[in-house]
Amino acid sequence: MSSQSDPLPDSFRLSMLIYDTRYRSMTIQIVALIGALLGALFLIDNTISNLNALGKEIDFGFLSEPAGYDINQRLVDYMSRDTHLRASFIGLLNTLLIAVLGCAMATVLGVVIGVLRLSSNWLVARIMTVYVEMFRNVPVLLWIVLAMAVLIESLPSPRDFRGENPEASMMLFDSVAITNRGFYIPEALFSRSFGNIHFFGDSSLRFDLSLDLLALLAVLFGSIYAVRRLGKWAHAKQEATGLRPTTWHYTLAILVVPMLILLTVLGFHLGYPELKGFNFSGGTYMRNSLIALWLALSMYTAAFIAEIVRGGILAISKGQTEAASALGLRPSRTMRLVILPQAMRVIIPPLISQYLNLTKNSSLAIAVGYMDITGTLGGITMNQTGRELESVLMLMLVYLVISLSISLVMNWYNERVKLVER
Amino acid sequence: MSDTNAQSVRYVRDTILPQQPPPASAVGFIGWARANLFSSWFNSVLTVISLAFIFYVLSGVIPWVFQSVWNANSLSECREVMVATWGDTHGHACWGVIKERWLQLLFGFYPPELYWRPIVALGLLLVALAPVLYAEKVPSKLLIVTALYPFVMPWLLWGGTIWAPLMVMAGFGLGYMAYTILSTKIGSLGAIIAGVLVPIVWWLFLSGAVASALASVLPLALQSVESRQFGGFMLSTLIGVVAIGCSLPIGIFLALGRRSDLLILRALCVGFIEFIRGVPLITLLFVASTLLNIFMPPGTNFDIILRVIIMVTLFAAAYMAEVIRGGLAALPKGQYEGADSLGLNYWQSQRLIIMPQALKISIPGIVSTFIGVFKDTTLVSIIGLLDPLGLSNAIRADAAWNGIYWELFAYIAVLFFIVCFGMSRYSMSLEKRLRTDHR
């Protein structure tokens, strides 16, 4: 490499900044930096002078003013006299809610469709191809407004449930009501509840965390950990003696018994929705905008995930399957022990970037009136206060933080599977 | 020796039997169905369920599409016809709305007597694309159309004096002239700087005066159309085509910047790409609709469609950069070293060795980015532009068509499907054509 550098010149000339390979990269970089700084300065200077001309200043004080609008789908308490910051916080929680729900359903749907596209059944494979092409080639916004229209137009309204001979009836033993205003599903109630922990006092970011939920999660993760330990023990036993002890009934017991005990201690029961007057009350209410967004986003993203899953499975060479069957593994075990672990390495990175896309696409909630962060901070708050610059900056910052955290997870995973590679 | 067998065995076949046809259950439709539809009991169950599903869907869709009302001026009129003909209003489409509004869904509020201009622009687009898409079948002289198209298309769509696009073209011509004349005299660097500066000076200070002078001598102009009259599928196509066309070169430079050894340049490119990819397009469109005028010098007020196109282009370029970076990373290192050992400089090796291969590898990704951009143009309806989705809301606001959903959505979805599906099929055929390895 050292032979590439030019012989030392006698003296420094200005043209060497361009023509001498030792200085050229420096020159280009400094010019680029100066150009970028000048560009940024230009934009900032323009912004300041424009804002001065409009008589505005960059001021985030509007966040502590009362919002004055209502948010009807929310995870934590909110009233219209709460601040704009509180409204944005509710919106952020709603964004995260739709992202989590959507990713979960899109994964399930996508994996099923991707596997079925590889089915040896010609008809099933064709139907799934039609599904994928249909969803991939039509804009997601169209699917969202279409889903909303389906829900509003084709489902019964709550008043159809009234009277002696109602036009519509509740489903699943009178526990679920599907109406054009949204879905009413049973809610989990605890008669001997542990109560809540309250965070952040009286501030705009306050929220309650249910101790019951924490306890349930703790027991669940504890059980899963115990099951994994049991699996390891069985594995060690198999290595030592050649026989694998039967563990499935222990596994079942570990998973079910502690959870049942906890639920009994908490006094778990379901609260069913009931028709009162012109609407339902009780139960958990999922607004139709949430349902429409959830359905449309997850079905749209599922088409992409299906392609990723299909590609991942096809990427594993046929020799692997043949080697596994030569070893005498059954097809189901070949899939579980040979194909899937290798396919996962191909599937997971693009899968996570699909999760990212779904989260970003959830900003289209504004088209159906679901109050996510775009609908609150970038919608009503921005229009009411006229603080476009501050609102859009905050909105971008929130999405950037979400995206970068998902990217971090992806990088961490990539590093982890890289170690497994030779 | 040969006699021994003949005496001990009673019968020896001395001719080969004619080949029998395979059994009827193994060939033809039956054999195919047995292999592909009923190979096991599970597959048979799946087939039956699938057939039931297909029947269910088609029994709903086919009557809806074909037992429909074409001649009606409002939804209520549609329903009257339905009740008179079939007895109910369910399960029948009212295509009257499409018959009445299909031109509006295609062109927005563009003046009807000027519809020929977007149509000519679309036709010229196809002519301009032909030498790029089908390079070996179409004479390369058509590339002149491709080069002229960026100047002709805005003039056709927005109208106005013909001298404005000509002056912009003249700027490029002047820059090229300055470069060729000066490169022999003062060296290539000075010539490049002059080649950039001359057109800028021309556009900023001289072209306006020259254009108005020429216009007063020879007033050649098309009737001008304002941006707010643009709409429908034409608007989607306009935004999509410009964003697709501009994002590819910008994306290539961003990808090269991200992979370069120059630290500051790389940091700038990474920052830009990750920022754009980290935020949803809708926030960038908010920037276009509310903030872009604040970022520009006081007094500038440029067109909303142009602002949207700028933001969509930047958005697409960041995604394109990542796709092309993937292609660059997939190239074996030997290609870079081979280019170096031939003594090619950076730009030569990129142009002649690296990019042709990297772009070929990334064709599927590039085309799916194109499709994504085209689909994302529907988002402009959220900031109030009248793309097909925005227009469908406007149509529904009309008292005559209040409450009509399916027909409009079906029409829009079919339009988008045709374009996007066509693009993905073209990319598959291109991949096949460019495949040089022998599989």
Side-chain angles (χ1 to χ4, degrees):
Chain A
M1 289 309 259
S2 58
S3 60
Q4 275 188 359
S5 63
D6 299 22
L8 275 178
D10 307 328
S11 62
F12 182 80
R13 291 177 314 265
L14 205 61
S15 63
M16 277 165 53
L17 284 178
I18 303 290
Y19 294 114
D20 192 323
T21 47
R22 286 168 304 170
Y23 303 120
R24 180 157 55 183
S25 64
M26 251 329 158
T27 319
I28 295 175
Q29 299 200 57
I30 289 172
V31 168
L33 185 67
I34 292 173
L37 286 180
L38 280 180
L41 210 68
F42 173 73
L43 293 183
I44 292 171
D45 181 56
N46 284 335
T47 311
I48 290 172
S49 52
N50 274 320
L51 286 181
N52 279 343
L54 289 172
K56 285 187 193 171
E57 282 172 21
I58 297 181
D59 177 15
F60 286 90
F62 70 98
L63 286 174
S64 53
E65 290 163 17
Y69 58 91
D70 205 22
I71 300 177
N72 33 31
Q73 176 82 47
R74 51 179 188 255
L75 290 173
V76 291
D77 70 296
Y78 170 83
M79 277 169 299
S80 60
R81 44 172 207 280
D82 275 319
T83 62
H84 281 295
L85 183 63
R86 179 80 180 155
S88 310
F89 179 64
I90 308 280
L92 175 62
L93 289 182
N94 278 345
T95 294
L96 295 177
L97 172 74
I98 191 73
V100 171
L101 287 178
C103 288
M105 185 147 132
T107 312
V108 174
L109 271 179
V111 169
V112 170
I113 291 163
V115 171
L116 283 183
R117 255 198 101 177
L118 290 172
S119 158
S120 58
N121 189 315
W122 182 84
L123 206 56
V124 172
R126 279 313 115 105
I127 291 177
M128 293 307 152
T129 310
V130 169
Y131 175 93
V132 168
E133 294 295 348
M134 198 170 84
F135 275 89
R136 277 203 315 180
N137 289 318
V138 173
V140 60
L141 187 58
L142 185 66
W143 288 118
I144 293 175
V145 287
L146 185 68
M148 191 67 181
V150 171
L151 291 186
I152 292 181
E153 290 292 303
S154 65
L155 293 178
S157 73
R159 91 181 112 84
D160 292 340
F161 290 81
R162 296 175 71 227
E164 288 295 309
N165 248 335
E167 292 173 41
S169 59
M170 292 168 72
M171 297 165 73
L172 291 175
F173 311 108
D174 274 1
S175 62
V176 177
I178 294 178
T179 75
N180 62 359
R181 289 195 205 170
F183 294 5
Y184 296 84
I185 56 173
E187 62 180 334
L189 293 175
F190 303 100
S191 52
R192 290 181 291 274
S193 169
F194 292 155
N196 297 323
I197 327 176
H198 190 77
F199 282 95
F200 301 125
D202 223 14
S203 72
S204 290
L205 299 180
R206 68 181 182 274
F207 63 94
D208 289 335
L209 200 57
S210 160
L211 278 175
D212 310 319
L213 188 69
L214 280 184
L216 287 172
L217 285 178
V219 167
L220 184 69
F221 283 114
S223 305
I224 290 174
Y225 178 72
V227 166
R228 291 187 64 164
R229 285 296 298 270
L230 184 72
K232 272 189 185 155
W233 169 81
H235 203 71
K237 192 107 176 169
Q238 190 183 13
E239 296 273 296
T241 62
L243 287 174
R244 193 179 180 88
T246 329
T247 54
W248 66 267
H249 43 268
Y250 294 122
T251 307
L252 200 66
I254 292 175
L255 281 179
V256 171
V257 173
M259 190 58 86
L260 280 181
I261 293 173
L262 181 69
L263 288 178
T264 326
V265 167
L266 286 172
F268 170 79
H269 60 277
L270 288 175
Y272 295 106
E274 275 173 39
L275 192 60
K276 283 198 179 138
F278 287 93
N279 212 337
F280 285 89
S281 68
T284 304
Y285 174 43
M286 299 168 86
R287 277 188 79 78
N288 52 10
S289 53
L290 170 68
I291 305 272
L293 193 64
W294 183 23
L295 281 180
L297 279 179
S298 46
M299 289 176 86
Y300 178 80
T301 313
F304 291 87
I305 292 180
E307 284 299 274
I308 292 169
V309 169
R310 189 176 76 107
I313 293 175
L314 286 179
I316 306 307
S317 72
K318 216 170 172 220
Q320 299 284 330
T321 321
E322 290 167 353
S325 31
L327 285 174
L329 291 179
R330 275 181 259 124
S332 59
R333 288 218 171 151
T334 308
M335 198 58 168
R336 194 162 55 87
L337 298 173
V338 179
I339 307 288
L340 275 188
Q342 299 183 68
M344 275 303 173
R345 203 183 293 164
V346 186
I347 291 172
I348 299 266
L351 184 68
I352 294 179
S353 87
Q354 284 305 323
Y355 290 166
L356 199 55
N357 280 347
L358 190 146
T359 312
K360 283 187 284 175
N361 279 340
S362 74
S363 60
L364 299 182
I366 198 168
V368 288
Y370 176 69
M371 298 299 267
D372 74 333
I373 180 108
T374 314
T376 53
L377 182 61
I380 302 182
T381 293
M382 185 167 88
N383 293 335
Q384 270 187 8
T385 60
R387 295 274 168 196
E388 292 96 1
L389 186 64
E390 296 87 340
S391 300
V392 172
L393 279 182
M394 275 184 67
L395 193 60
M396 286 182 156
L397 193 70
V398 167
Y399 278 110
L400 266 183
V401 169
I402 297 176
S403 304
L404 291 181
S405 354
I406 297 180
S407 300
L408 278 183
V409 173
M410 181 153 75
N411 289 345
W412 169 80
Y413 177 84
N414 281 344
E415 283 302 312
R416 233 193 83 195
V417 292
K418 230 184 217 165
L419 292 176
V420 189
E421 260 177 352
R422 264 181 298 169
Chain B
M1 283 288 276
S2 61
D3 295 26
T4 45
N5 269 352
Q7 277 150 20
S8 60
V9 180
R10 272 192 199 157
Y11 171 74
V12 174
R13 181 180 299 287
D14 52 3
T15 52
I16 294 176
L17 278 177
Q19 278 189 353
Q20 295 277 329
S25 61
V27 288
F29 176 73
I30 297 175
W32 176 86
R34 274 176 65 136
N36 290 303
L37 299 179
F38 302 101
S39 57
S40 64
W41 67 267
F42 181 67
N43 256 347
S44 308
V45 170
L46 277 184
T47 304
V48 172
I49 295 176
S50 305
L51 282 175
F53 175 75
I54 292 173
F55 176 76
Y56 174 75
V57 170
L58 288 186
S59 67
V61 169
I62 288 182
W64 183 75
V65 173
F66 293 104
Q67 295 188 343
S68 49
V69 181
W70 279 94
N71 296 312
N73 294 320
S74 71
L75 190 58
S76 49
E77 204 183 318
C78 250
R79 290 195 171 134
E80 281 166 23
V81 175
M82 282 175 199
V83 171
T85 323
W86 299 288
D88 62 349
T89 60
H90 271 288
H92 306 288
C94 176
W95 296 118
V97 65
I98 304 297
K99 192 183 171 194
E100 187 185 300
R101 301 294 183 105
W102 68 280
L103 278 172
Q104 194 184 39
L105 281 167
L106 287 182
F107 296 103
F109 294 103
Y110 209 83
E113 68 276 11
L114 301 178
Y115 278 166
W116 62 272
R117 275 159 48 179
I119 292 171
V120 168
L122 181 68
L124 278 180
L125 174 70
L126 298 180
V127 176
L129 281 180
V132 180
L133 297 184
Y134 295 100
E136 68 273 21
K137 287 181 198 158
V138 180
S140 57
K141 274 183 187 164
L142 275 180
L143 278 173
I144 297 173
V145 180
T146 315
L148 290 181
Y149 189 73
F151 307 103
V152 175
M153 186 268 284
W155 178 62
L156 269 178
L157 290 184
W158 274 278
T161 168
I162 193 173
W163 298 109
L166 283 181
M167 289 304 112
V168 176
M169 260 154 73
F172 283 103
L174 283 175
Y176 181 70
M177 264 164 57
Y179 173 75
T180 42
I181 293 172
L182 290 177
S183 61
T184 50
K185 291 184 181 161
I186 59 168
S188 69
L189 181 80
I192 290 175
I193 294 175
V196 174
L197 278 184
V198 166
I200 291 177
V201 170
W202 165 256
W203 287 325
L204 284 184
F205 302 110
L206 295 173
S207 65
V210 176
S212 53
L214 282 171
S216 61
V217 176
L218 194 64
L220 282 177
L222 284 176
Q223 185 187 335
S224 63
V225 180
E226 282 180 52
S227 279
R228 62 185 165 78
Q229 291 174 295
F230 281 49
F233 207 60
M234 179 189 116
L235 179 66
S236 299
T237 318
L238 173 66
I239 298 173
V241 166
V242 179
I244 284 171
C246 299
S247 67
L248 187 61
I250 301 176
I252 290 176
F253 282 111
L254 281 173
L256 289 178
R258 191 165 182 175
R259 282 179 63 85
S260 88
D261 302 325
L262 311 176
L263 194 69
I264 298 174
L265 213 58
R266 191 168 64 215
L268 288 174
C269 289
V270 171
F272 176 80
I273 293 172
E274 291 303 324
F275 170 71
I276 297 280
R277 277 162 41 93
V279 298
L281 178 57
I282 188 70
T283 58
L284 294 176
L285 291 179
F286 283 154
V287 170
S289 71
T290 60
L291 294 182
L292 217 51
N293 276 339
I294 296 183
F295 292 151
M296 288 294 121
T300 37
N301 187 8
F302 62 108
D303 193 81
I304 178 72
I305 292 183
L306 187 61
R307 282 182 274 162
V308 165
I309 286 178
I310 291 175
M311 293 323 273
V312 175
T313 305
L314 293 181
F315 181 77
Y319 281 82
M320 198 62 75
E322 284 301 274
V323 169
I324 292 169
R325 185 169 74 105
L328 287 172
L331 267 196
K333 213 169 168 228
Q335 297 292 331
Y336 292 88
E337 291 165 352
D340 284 346
S341 69
L342 284 176
L344 300 179
N345 69 24
Y346 179 78
W347 291 111
Q348 281 172 332
S349 67
Q350 291 297 341
R351 188 163 54 85
L352 300 170
I353 312 274
I354 308 297
M355 268 307 150
Q357 301 183 67
L359 289 181
K360 191 174 89 181
I361 297 174
S362 25
I363 286 172
I366 291 176
V367 175
S368 61
T369 312
F370 283 169
I371 295 176
V373 171
F374 189 63
K375 285 188 296 178
D376 281 345
T377 56
T378 48
L379 266 64
V380 299
S381 63
I382 293 180
I383 58 166
L385 292 188
L386 290 173
D387 83 315
L389 273 183
L391 274 174
S392 78
N393 291 331
I395 291 173
R396 222 170 294 128
D398 185 342
W401 298 113
N402 194 356
I404 198 152
Y405 289 93
W406 314 111
E407 293 81 359
L408 293 170
F409 287 150
Y411 180 72
I412 299 167
V414 166
L415 283 179
F416 272 98
F417 184 86
I418 290 171
V419 176
C420 297
F421 192 69
M423 276 201 262
S424 75
R425 287 297 124 151
Y426 172 76
S427 97
M428 282 182 192
S429 76
L430 187 63
E431 260 178 275
K432 217 178 265 173
R433 208 167 64 206
L434 293 182
R435 178 171 287 163
T436 45
D437 55 346
H438 304 285
R439 288 199 190 180

